[in-house]
Amino acid sequence: MLFDLPNDDILYDALLARSADYEGQAFVCVKSTGIFCRLSCPARKPKRENTLFFDSIAACINSGFRPCERCRPLGQPSEKEPLVNDLLKLLDRSPDRRWTEDDLFLHGFDPSTVRRAFKRAFGVTFLDLARQRRVGEAARQLSAGASVIEAQIDAGYDSPSGFRTAFAKLIGEVPAMSQGRQLLFADTIETPLGPMIAVADKTHLHLLEFHDRKALQTEMESLKRKTRSAVARGRTPPIDQIEAELNAYFSGESGNFRTPLALDGSAFERQVWAKLLEIPLGETRSYSDIAREVATLQAVRAVAKANGANRIAIVIPCHRCIGADGSLTGYGGGLRRKQWLLRHEGKMKPVGLFAEDVG
């Protein structure tokens, strides 16, 4: 982070007031439109639940949002970097152009100077910015059902292979795999133990992890490979549902989770996760207990590995699995969180912590 942002409620109030107090320090991304704006933008204000706040333009762009045409957030550094302003005007006039360093030379710009100026201004190079704008728009067209050739032409690519390469580099898959298929969406859920990242399609939750889990990036890449999908910023009904259920859980009101789950694991992993779901609220089981139920005592190590492969924290309660001697042992979210969760559940009425409609 470039600086510590105020909380989102303060930033949303600043957005409603069209305040310039955070000019250049905070930007709002609107999930319903896919654009990002200055907080002082004069456009109609989005609903609170449709907003995300970032402290840099690079974070907005890298999260898949495109700049607003009204407040023009990319124009912010023009006073300090005249060439940035000039190139942004060229980019706005030809958003579908496939820019190269040779093009910069032809327009009288030194590519090295341009690269440094845009990195200072936005955290990304001019060529990367132009590419992300074209390919991001192509991804939205494909998701809406456009043909690959239509998206390729609109993105300014003459070569199908060049378009496939650029698209796969940014989105993580070839264009044909995105055609007419819904993307996975990710959003942040605030909890007393820190932010959690939720990833879901329109019907099922695929991932729920603490934001600082070391394996999160690896899990995200694995999820994209297994589902053959890309992940974009946004909300779907399962994310809204799990957020409400987590709020009830952390407030001590309910231990019931009914959000439909997509369990992307092996047959053995799914068997272990099913046993974890059977552990009553406020109780624990040892790895050997689970191993005894799913196979033999020799499967203890495999059970521990399946626990670690669980991508839906809290809902699939791997935190309730402990060592045979009663020690907490490892936990992807950290032993401090594991201890907190077990103490919290010990105080709650045992109404069950089962997920229904598992997909």
Side-chain angles (χ1 to χ4, degrees):
M1 301 290 282
L2 299 178
F3 81 112
D4 292 329
L5 287 176
N7 65 55
D8 286 1
D9 290 333
I10 293 176
L11 293 175
Y12 186 69
D13 287 342
L15 174 67
L16 295 179
R18 298 180 181 175
S19 171
D21 291 347
Y22 301 101
E23 193 72 16
Q25 297 179 317
F27 301 87
V28 60
C29 295
V30 184
K31 292 180 281 188
S32 55
T33 62
I35 67 171
F36 72 93
C37 306
R38 307 168 188 260
L39 300 192
S40 57
C41 183
R44 182 179 177 181
K45 302 308 175 187
K47 295 180 179 179
R48 174 68 178 82
E49 60 267 24
N50 288 332
T51 59
L52 293 169
F53 295 95
F54 292 104
D55 67 346
S56 71
I57 288 174
C60 298
I61 293 171
N62 290 333
S63 296
F65 294 89
R66 61 191 187 280
C68 172
E69 291 296 326
R70 291 196 66 180
C71 66
R72 296 186 176 274
L74 297 187
Q76 172 202 340
S78 58
E79 294 181 3
K80 295 182 179 179
E81 303 281 0
L83 69 86
V84 171
N85 193 42
D86 292 341
L87 280 168
L88 288 176
K89 289 178 180 178
L90 290 174
L91 184 58
D92 286 339
R93 286 200 293 266
S94 304
D96 58 350
R97 180 173 182 171
R98 190 181 180 189
W99 288 85
T100 67
E101 290 193 349
D102 288 340
D103 293 323
L104 295 176
F105 271 123
L106 290 175
H107 282 82
F109 297 102
D110 174 60
S112 297
T113 302
V114 170
R115 187 182 308 112
R116 290 193 296 269
F118 271 78
K119 288 288 284 186
R120 285 194 298 269
F122 306 126
V124 295
T125 68
F126 171 75
L127 296 182
D128 284 341
L129 175 62
R131 185 181 305 112
Q132 289 170 355
R133 288 180 63 173
R134 296 197 320 273
V135 177
E137 183 59 33
R140 282 185 283 272
Q141 291 180 17
L142 289 168
S143 182
S147 68
V148 174
I149 188 62
E150 288 173 333
Q152 173 196 320
I153 293 172
D154 287 346
Y157 282 86
D158 296 326
S159 164
S161 61
F163 178 57
R164 285 196 300 270
T165 300
F167 192 94
K169 183 177 180 180
L170 181 64
I171 304 300
E173 59 184 25
V174 295
M177 291 171 58
S178 292
Q179 188 177 11
R181 191 194 62 209
Q182 294 298 321
L183 303 174
L184 293 176
F185 291 90
D187 205 354
T188 303
I189 297 175
E190 296 295 334
T191 79
L193 294 181
M196 299 189 78
I197 305 299
V199 179
D201 56 27
K202 287 188 173 181
T203 59
H204 288 73
L205 181 69
H206 288 255
L207 181 145
L208 181 68
E209 289 283 19
F210 289 103
H211 77 295
D212 55 358
R213 174 171 165 79
K214 292 181 178 180
L216 179 58
Q217 187 60 42
T218 301
E219 288 182 336
M220 291 286 279
E221 293 303 320
S222 174
L223 176 60
K224 288 190 288 187
R225 286 195 302 272
K226 288 184 177 180
T227 59
R228 301 171 70 86
S229 295
V231 179
R233 282 279 182 177
R235 282 247 167 178
T236 60
I239 296 179
D240 290 331
Q241 183 176 350
I242 195 61
E243 182 175 46
E245 292 173 352
L246 283 171
N247 288 339
Y249 169 81
F250 280 108
S251 67
E253 297 174 7
S254 173
N256 246 352
F257 290 99
R258 301 182 181 277
T259 301
L261 307 180
L263 301 183
D264 305 306
S266 67
F268 180 78
E269 288 171 340
R270 289 167 64 94
Q271 188 179 9
V272 171
W273 298 340
K275 292 300 179 182
L276 294 176
L277 286 166
E278 294 175 3
I279 304 175
L281 187 72
E283 297 185 18
T284 59
R285 297 288 186 273
S286 69
Y287 294 102
S288 56
D289 290 334
I290 302 296
R292 192 176 293 109
E293 294 184 39
V294 299
T296 66
L297 281 177
Q298 283 67 41
V300 171
R301 185 170 297 179
V303 167
K305 186 176 180 181
N307 259 28
N310 172 31
R311 289 196 292 263
I312 305 180
I314 299 181
V315 180
I316 298 178
C318 55
H319 59 278
R320 296 180 190 166
C321 209
I322 62 175
D325 60 356
S327 60
L328 293 186
T329 67
Y331 181 60
L335 292 182
R336 176 184 62 84
R337 288 190 177 115
K338 183 170 186 173
Q339 184 178 48
W340 192 98
L341 291 170
L342 292 176
R343 287 179 176 175
H344 176 66
E345 292 178 0
K347 301 173 184 177
M348 294 173 66
K349 183 179 180 180
V351 294
L353 191 62
F354 296 93
E356 297 186 354
D357 303 320
V358 172

